[in-house]
Amino acid sequence: MVRHHLSEDPNWWRQAAIYQIYPRSFKDSDGDGLGDIRGITSEVGYLASLNLDAVWLSPFYPSALADGGYDVADYRNVDPRLGTLVDFDEMVAALHDAGIRVFVDIVPNHSSNLHVWFQEALASEPGSPARERYIFRDGRGDNGELPPSDWPSHFAPSAWTRTTNPDGTPGQWYLHLFAPEQPDFNWDNPEVQEDFLTTLRFWSDRGVDGFRVDVAHALKKDLGEPFRSKPVFIDFDNPLSGDDVLFDRNEVHDIYRKWHQVFEEYTPPRVAVAEAWVRAERRVLYARPDELGQAFNFDLLLADFDASAFKRIITDNIALAKTEGSSSTWVLSNHDRVRHTTKYGLPAGYDLREWLLSNGLKLDVDYKQGLARAQAATMMILALPGSCYLYQGEELGLFEVANIPFNQVQDPIWERNHHTDKGRDGCRVPLPWSSQGTSFGFSTGQAHLPQPSAFARLAVDAQSGRDGSTLELYRTALKLRRELQSTEDYEWIETGNPSVLHFSRANGWQSVTNFGSANAALPPGQILLSSGQHDSGVLPGNTTIWLKR
Ligand code: NOJ
């Protein structure tokens, strides 16, 4: 393989293609059915063939897997089931040699309950410095039997869990916005702030180029008592003012300004992307040049396949990002959401949660339509200015696996919601690498989540080199994008057809997408790439074509 030299351009990330690896489901090197770091290293050639700028690794840290690794027991180590720090260093070196940079996931809102700090807190007295690293409070009611406030957990129901004292009597309560195994840190505590700076330096020193920041909007809370009520969680219709009790508080930005100073200690400066579930106007604040640099824009991931929705979201987000000196990001799938191939194949407005609970039996997903739309949407975002985040397996056209047997479900959402919400396992099923063999080449053992037989025809070896496959479409589109992309400018071109969106970039590069099902006229120009079959002069429904004029 040709050895690449990574540039020192401080803006390398502004129009990057970044591929999310969910390490436990990417590739297993040791036969235990769990993907690992060496598995990733063994597939650097594959990643290079996708023409990516970077990969982002979801957590690979020591964890009891109460929430797929987002319950971190040690922020500066590798889970022994996934490898060692030496394996990690080898992986980074191999990726860098292939011209691919590395983002790791930082989970600053909460740790695992197995983190040494939390164990120490449990063993310490109320009010002790060890408890002050987390959010412990006495309960309400005569005997402290009621939670300190009505705050709900994202994984339902209450965000508070009561502890048991060493002598067996009921003790204080602690806050967890997610599972009880994920106690929230107290970000008013300088020791917590300092420890995360150490973690950022630890990974930056090992060559990590960037960070994905988990629930970046939740770190600062109004902990003044009596606690303010917070009955509603995320309400996009109700823009937050920066003074909400739990989310998107103005002071959270002080944290990221400090992080940015650490980023500046390196060449090129490190960068980060915020996962902040807030409205676009507030989200872009996390991406300011003296903070994280980027923020995930989830608006397209939440939208239907609809021309007017896409146009509004794209126009607004590019403008907003520009106002704050950043570039927009684009996301259609990730490890938390139903895969977009499936989403676009369901009748509009169908309740995905209900469908998952039916184990996929009640309703036929129109996979063909879903895949055509997914490919068209992906080609459209790849032509836009800004960074695209792609989720492992979307390049294979993988679908949501709806029929994971209830007794094999891993997501804590399933238990915490009393078996009314199946959660996110369906998009986390291990990748198929070969159409034959145990776990389709993912592992020599049984995959940790069951793979459907239909993965055989979507396997990497079944698609590699095959004209018209989803994999080859991604490879070509990402290669062309790299060659064609220059400035961050773009311009809408009027089509006169409400189902068709057409825009141009510099140097005559154009992208045109037909969101409808009827054929539309294809604008003139040299065809560079099409997401589907088409006749001369025709832009079929659910299709994107790139042109050069
Ligand atoms: C967002 C992550 O993407 C999700 O997977 C996780 O459950 C929560 N944050 C809690 O860490």
Side-chain angles (χ1 to χ4, degrees):
M1 200 189 295
V2 189
R3 214 171 149 168
H4 288 256
H5 177 71
L6 291 172
S7 85
E8 293 187 353
D9 175 9
N11 289 317
W12 69 265
W13 46 270
R14 288 184 69 97
Q15 304 212 64
I18 301 165
Y19 178 92
Q20 179 188 358
I21 293 180
Y22 190 76
R24 290 175 179 80
S25 297
F26 184 72
K27 177 89 187 219
D28 176 25
S29 72
D30 61 7
D32 67 357
L34 214 54
D36 48 35
I37 301 290
R38 283 172 169 233
I40 299 170
T41 312
S42 72
E43 292 299 347
V44 166
Y46 173 74
L47 294 166
S49 81
L50 291 172
N51 303 302
L52 306 164
D53 298 299
V55 292
W56 142 39
L57 268 62
S58 277
F60 49 81
Y61 314 109
S63 169
L65 301 185
D67 180 20
Y70 283 89
D71 46 320
V72 179
D74 179 354
Y75 288 86
R76 303 194 277 271
N77 214 335
V78 176
D79 190 313
R81 285 165 295 186
L82 271 65
T84 62
L85 282 168
V86 173
D87 295 335
F88 182 86
D89 293 344
E90 283 172 9
M91 177 198 71
V92 172
L95 285 163
H96 281 175
D97 282 351
I100 301 172
R101 302 185 199 249
V102 183
F103 275 47
V104 298
D105 220 307
I106 292 291
V107 189
N109 180 65
H110 44 265
S111 70
S112 157
N113 58 338
L114 300 179
H115 191 286
V116 12
W117 274 3
F118 193 71
Q119 289 300 314
E120 196 186 333
L122 287 181
S124 305
E125 292 294 310
S128 59
R131 288 215 168 176
E132 281 305 304
R133 296 180 186 127
Y134 292 89
I135 302 168
F136 282 86
R137 290 293 183 277
D138 294 333
R140 290 172 300 156
D142 292 343
N143 301 304
E145 71 281 11
L146 296 172
S149 75
D150 64 353
W151 299 345
S153 140
H154 279 290
F155 293 161
S158 172
W160 296 95
T161 289
R162 195 164 194 188
T163 59
T164 304
N165 293 322
D167 66 1
T169 56
Q172 283 194 303
W173 298 69
Y174 66 90
L175 183 76
H176 53 87
L177 292 185
F178 292 87
E181 296 87 353
Q182 294 167 296
D184 280 36
F185 280 117
N186 171 15
W187 270 89
D188 295 340
N189 185 332
E191 211 185 339
V192 170
Q193 296 169 20
E194 210 36 58
D195 196 62
F196 273 90
L197 299 183
T198 305
T199 296
L200 294 175
R201 288 195 181 96
F202 178 87
W203 293 110
S204 299
D205 289 344
R206 299 195 102 88
V208 161
D209 305 275
F211 302 92
R212 178 264 187 193
V213 185
D214 192 65
V215 276
H217 58 306
L219 275 47
K220 282 287 195 171
K221 289 135 185 142
D222 178 1
L223 297 175
E225 294 182 53
F227 290 128
R228 284 156 61 195
S229 195
K230 172 69 197 181
V232 185
F233 247 54
I234 302 161
D235 182 357
F236 285 114
D237 295 331
N238 179 14
L240 299 177
S241 61
D243 184 38
D244 183 81
V245 62
L246 293 178
F247 298 113
D248 192 33
R249 292 182 62 75
N250 289 329
E251 315 92 86
V252 83
H253 295 285
D254 297 339
I255 298 173
Y256 301 128
R257 277 189 278 269
K258 283 201 190 132
W259 288 22
H260 188 83
Q261 288 168 12
V262 173
F263 299 165
E264 291 281 350
E265 292 168 10
Y266 295 87
T267 307
R270 300 325 190 213
V271 65
V273 57
E275 185 215 25
W277 285 92
V278 295
R279 269 164 63 119
E281 310 89 77
R282 298 275 309 174
R283 183 170 63 216
V284 290
L285 302 180
Y286 294 77
R288 286 180 285 201
D290 62 342
E291 295 194 33
L292 298 176
Q294 289 195 320
F296 284 129
N297 158 14
F298 290 133
D299 295 357
L300 289 182
L301 172 132
L302 298 173
D304 286 335
F305 187 74
D306 173 84
S308 62
F310 267 59
K311 186 166 186 181
R312 181 180 39 77
I313 289 168
I314 290 166
T315 310
D316 291 355
N317 277 286
I318 292 178
L320 280 166
K322 202 169 175 181
T323 317
E324 297 301 337
S326 185
S327 56
S328 188
T329 62
W330 310 107
V331 186
L332 296 170
S333 275
N334 66 25
H335 66 295
D336 288 332
R337 310 297 299 196
V338 167
R339 283 192 178 273
H340 67 288
T341 307
T342 298
K343 180 182 138 187
Y344 294 150
L346 284 163
Y350 197 84
D351 182 339
L352 292 169
R353 178 154 24 110
E354 197 180 305
W355 172 68
L356 285 176
L357 280 174
S358 74
N359 254 345
L361 299 176
K362 267 198 275 176
L363 183 82
D364 278 339
V365 181
D366 187 341
Y367 175 74
K368 207 167 154 232
Q369 170 190 290
L371 183 63
R373 290 180 170 181
Q375 293 174 337
T378 300
M379 264 185 68
M380 183 173 188
I381 63 163
L382 289 177
L384 286 169
S387 282
C388 294
Y389 282 84
L390 309 168
Y391 176 49
Q392 70 177 38
E394 65 169 88
E395 78 281 15
L396 303 175
L398 294 193
F399 50 86
E400 184 80 8
V401 181
N403 58 356
I404 294 173
F406 292 138
N407 63 3
Q408 291 185 53
V409 171
Q410 296 178 8
D411 194 336
I413 286 179
W414 174 240
E415 289 301 333
R416 302 262 314 149
N417 286 284
H418 308 293
H419 299 184
T420 57
D421 187 343
K422 207 170 170 190
R424 305 158 294 179
D425 291 346
C427 63
R428 300 174 176 184
V429 174
L431 295 190
W433 293 91
S434 55
S435 33
Q436 310 218 323
T438 320
S439 50
F440 300 115
F442 163 70
S443 170
T444 52
Q446 286 303 314
H448 69 100
L449 279 169
Q451 300 157 298
S453 54
F455 269 24
R457 66 186 159 80
L458 300 176
V460 173
D461 71 351
Q463 296 198 47
S464 254
R466 186 164 61 75
D467 240 16
S469 71
T470 310
L471 177 56
E472 291 304 334
L473 180 72
Y474 269 69
R475 284 177 170 154
T476 310
L478 284 156
K479 180 161 179 278
L480 276 173
R481 173 182 200 262
R482 189 176 264 175
E483 290 162 10
L484 294 165
Q485 194 149 252
S486 55
T487 71
E488 289 179 28
D489 298 323
Y490 83 112
E491 201 174 324
W492 290 112
I493 298 170
E494 191 43 58
T495 65
N497 180 340
S499 300
V500 176
L501 295 185
H502 185 187
F503 61 91
S504 65
R505 300 286 306 274
N507 307 327
W509 180 23
Q510 300 197 356
S511 173
V512 55
T513 304
N514 183 357
F515 287 80
S517 45
N519 285 344
L522 182 65
Q526 177 203 343
I527 295 175
L528 298 174
L529 187 65
S530 172
S531 69
Q533 300 280 337
H534 64 99
D535 294 328
S536 168
V538 174
L539 175 63
N542 302 325
T543 303
T544 293
I545 292 184
W546 287 355
L547 302 162
K548 181 111 178 164
R549 302 224 31 204

